[in-house]
Amino acid sequence: KIRAVLVNALPENTGNVVVGSSTCVAAAATRRGIALVPGARVLLRVKNLEELYVDAVVSGEGVSFVYFY
C-alpha cells in the first residue's frame, strides 16, 4: 500500500505544472491544485496513485515521481 509520492516538476519544463485531484488546472486564470515551477518538488500523502492528476501550462511538459510504501 502506497503511503506517499514525491512529485518533481521536470527541470527542463518552461512553464508551471499543477498536481492535484481530477479537477486540477494549470492555467493561471483558473489554477487549481499545487503549482510547481520547473525543478520544484512536493511530497504528498496518497493512498492510490490513480487519484493524482497533473496538468501543464505547456503541452508535453510534466513531472517525474517516486512513491513510498
Side-chain angles (χ1 to χ4, degrees):
K1 183 175 179 178
I2 295 172
R3 293 183 180 209
V5 60
L6 179 63
V7 180
N8 186 68
L10 298 176
E12 57 271 7
N13 287 349
T14 59
N16 291 346
V17 293
V18 173
V19 179
S21 67
S22 61
T23 61
C24 73
V25 176
T30 56
R31 184 166 291 149
R32 286 192 303 262
I34 300 170
L36 300 173
V37 297
R41 63 185 67 153
V42 64
L43 180 65
L44 302 170
R45 292 182 185 213
V46 295
K47 294 180 182 178
N48 186 343
L49 289 178
E50 294 177 353
E51 297 173 359
L52 201 59
Y53 291 79
V54 175
D55 189 31
V57 172
V58 179
S59 179
E61 296 189 349
V63 301
S64 59
F65 65 93
V66 61
Y67 54 89
F68 305 93
Y69 289 98

